[in-house]
Amino acid sequence: MQSPSLARPLARQLADFVLSTPVEALPALAIEHAKMSLASTLASASMGYGIESARIVREIELADGGTPAAGLWFDGGRLPLARAARVNAVASDAAASDDSDMRSIAHIGTIVSSVALAVGEREGASGRNVLTAMVLGYEVAGRIDESLTPGRMQRGFHGSWSTVFGACVAAGLLLRLDAPRLAHAIALSATSASGMAIAADTSCAREYHAGQAASAGIAAALAAQRGFEGELGVLEQPRGLLDALGGQAREDIVRDWGASWDIVTDMAIKLMPGAHPFHATAEAAAEAARAGAVRPDGIARIVVSAAVQWTNFKGDPHPRNLVDAAHSLPYFVAASIADDGFGWSHMDEVRMADPVIAALQDKVEFDPDPPPLPDRFPHRHGGTVSIHMQDGAVHRATCRAPRGSGARGIDWRDVEAKFLQLFPLAGLPAGTTGACLEAIAQLDRADSVRALAGMLSRR
């Protein structure tokens, strides 16, 4: 005989948990991390706004039009909720500079930020309510994706299969859905999820997936608001989402709700661009080179021993474009050694062609027997870099968690530095950068997010 908790569909259990969590139950650090996520998302979108993939999606949505409800960041146009969130999410993800969940590298922060700001703008929601929606949306997406990791990736499914739940919960809260409707929004999101990992690793489909997740989550919430119902058992029933994507530890999806918050423990802000699993290894490479005062022309070989080796997710040397560079661990390591760290400028094709960095990439080798993983989450365990010099010296460093990650602690100063460097790329009037950063820092005190949304328009 099933217990009452098991008899209730997971979608309804999650909806009940979300709606029974009062705003004051969220710790201050969860709210601060939501602000950091929003700042990071806007900074990344500033860098991604002019990228061709973001431009194409923006032009398509503007051409189709619709009832204006939320603004397009840095553009001045306005579109229906789902379309506006799609355009903004694509811009943020296009630059490979947004955020990652360290369990699975899903970009949950991008989705909850773009969705919550769009829906909050239309609804006139307070800053505190928008930030709360982000925290709870992140929580549901993170719990589902933790169960799916690493099964969904091994089967070839992208993180957008879980980020869509962050979108629908954030939207559903701000639309003030009751528990039955929010449960159906979650169920409809499960059957709307999409995205193949191979396409995200090799093309601009990565940001396309982000736009799909944001749009589909809002669409599910809007449909549920009007009474559209799905299959509430779609997550856990045979042939449901967890079966299809290889879900594990399913009981953990609803275990210990409120004991900790994923946006605090597992979110990481990218303080350098590209695939987040490489950031710790890049830091290790720079530290090893710094400690040994290494000169590139004296290096014989570079040995990488990283947790990511267990995933076949390490890319090829000599990238020629942003997509290649974002997924090339040899490039991260070589550039970090040559330039004392990896930064935003390394996504430029001129830097990719640098002859010193190119020569070092050919010296990168991978440990044939990397250390065993302590759990099933390879992306959260960092790496070690050993630089073998021609004179026989060896310089080695290890980094377990990158700067900007929850495990290491996220420093507002790092987030601010990222924002101040990237946000001006959006081309907004002078003074907007500082004003927006201040508005984000004080967002939990704002009666409405519309003032912040208005700052993001060119008009």
Side-chain angles (χ1 to χ4, degrees):
M1 180 176 177
Q2 284 186 313
S3 68
S5 64
L6 291 177
R8 283 189 303 147
L10 272 176
R12 179 56 191 263
Q13 291 184 61
L14 289 168
D16 287 341
F17 278 133
V18 166
L19 293 177
S20 66
T21 304
V23 172
E24 56 272 17
L26 300 179
L29 190 54
I31 297 298
E32 287 302 300
H33 276 206
K35 294 179 191 177
M36 293 175 177
S37 174
L38 181 57
S40 172
T41 299
L42 290 170
S44 184
S46 304
M47 190 175 179
Y49 177 83
I51 291 176
E52 185 179 17
S53 57
R55 178 187 60 77
I56 289 171
V57 170
R58 187 167 62 249
E59 290 177 352
I60 288 171
E61 295 292 16
L62 284 169
D64 275 356
T67 303
L72 305 187
W73 300 339
F74 325 128
D75 178 82
R78 298 181 64 77
L79 286 171
L81 285 181
R83 293 186 171 194
R86 180 191 184 204
V87 170
N88 294 336
V90 168
S92 179
D93 205 79
S97 303
D98 42 6
D99 73 283
S100 286
D101 187 276
M102 292 307 293
R103 293 163 292 189
S104 64
I105 66 173
H107 308 304
I108 306 173
T110 289
I111 305 306
V112 297
S113 295
S114 55
V115 168
L117 193 55
V119 181
E121 179 187 354
R122 194 193 78 166
E123 297 297 302
S126 71
R128 181 78 184 194
N129 284 343
V130 164
L131 295 169
T132 297
M134 290 175 61
V135 172
L136 294 174
Y138 196 108
E139 187 69 17
V140 172
R143 284 171 172 262
I144 292 174
D145 203 45
E146 181 172 299
S147 174
L148 299 180
T149 301
R152 70 160 174 78
M153 291 179 281
Q154 292 168 344
R155 286 167 164 77
F157 297 108
H158 186 248
S160 52
W161 283 80
S162 56
T163 60
V164 66
F165 297 104
C168 87
V169 168
L173 277 169
L174 294 169
L175 292 170
R176 297 176 292 279
L177 301 188
D178 59 18
R181 283 177 168 78
L182 183 56
H184 281 292
I186 293 170
L188 291 171
S189 293
T191 203
S192 305
S194 64
M196 306 310 298
I198 181 62
D201 293 347
T202 58
S203 74
C204 295
R206 181 190 65 251
E207 55 262 38
Y208 194 87
H209 293 167
Q212 290 291 90
S215 177
I218 291 178
L222 291 171
Q225 184 182 43
R226 290 177 174 264
F228 200 108
E229 296 185 350
E231 168 51 64
L232 288 179
V234 68
L235 295 176
E236 73 276 13
Q237 290 295 321
R239 299 189 299 134
L241 184 133
L242 293 173
D243 271 5
L245 274 64
Q248 301 180 51
R250 300 180 183 193
E251 64 280 2
D252 289 347
I253 295 175
V254 292
R255 188 194 302 276
D256 296 330
W257 180 273
S260 63
W261 299 97
D262 285 359
I263 202 169
V264 172
T265 57
D266 290 288
M267 185 185 76
I269 301 295
K270 289 184 182 179
L271 302 178
M272 61 180 84
H276 224 144
F278 302 163
H279 289 202
T281 308
E283 284 191 49
E287 175 58 29
R290 197 178 303 124
V294 166
R295 291 178 56 88
D297 57 4
I299 296 174
R301 61 194 185 102
I302 304 162
V303 180
V304 174
S305 183
V308 74
Q309 289 178 244
W310 293 98
T311 68
N312 295 319
F313 179 71
K314 55 183 185 288
D316 298 318
H318 306 295
R320 294 175 294 177
N321 53 52
L322 186 151
V323 174
D324 290 348
H327 297 94
S328 174
L329 184 53
Y331 179 59
F332 271 74
V333 169
S336 295
I337 292 171
D339 295 337
D340 191 31
F342 197 87
W344 314 109
S345 65
H346 288 108
M347 287 295 121
D348 183 87
E349 293 178 10
V350 173
R351 295 299 298 134
M352 295 176 204
D354 179 86
V356 174
I357 296 175
L360 289 178
Q361 289 177 76
D362 290 332
K363 298 179 180 181
V364 173
E365 306 171 7
F366 288 95
D367 183 352
D369 187 26
L373 294 173
D375 56 33
R376 68 177 195 270
F377 307 112
H379 298 304
R380 68 161 42 145
H381 296 298
T384 297
V385 174
S386 302
I387 304 174
H388 297 254
M389 307 302 294
Q390 293 172 1
D391 63 7
V394 179
H395 307 289
R396 180 179 293 107
T398 298
C399 179
R400 297 298 179 195
R403 286 173 52 231
S405 62
R408 188 162 158 180
I410 309 175
D411 192 323
W412 253 118
R413 291 171 296 183
D414 286 332
V415 179
E416 289 171 355
K418 172 182 178 176
F419 193 89
L420 293 172
Q421 181 165 0
L422 299 185
F423 193 81
L425 299 175
L428 297 179
T432 306
T433 298
C436 281
L437 187 56
E438 178 64 19
I440 294 168
Q442 301 298 324
L443 194 60
D444 52 331
R445 303 177 187 176
D447 292 334
S448 170
V449 296
R450 286 175 176 164
L452 172 60
M455 293 181 192
L456 303 175
S457 173
R458 289 184 188 273
R459 295 178 184 173

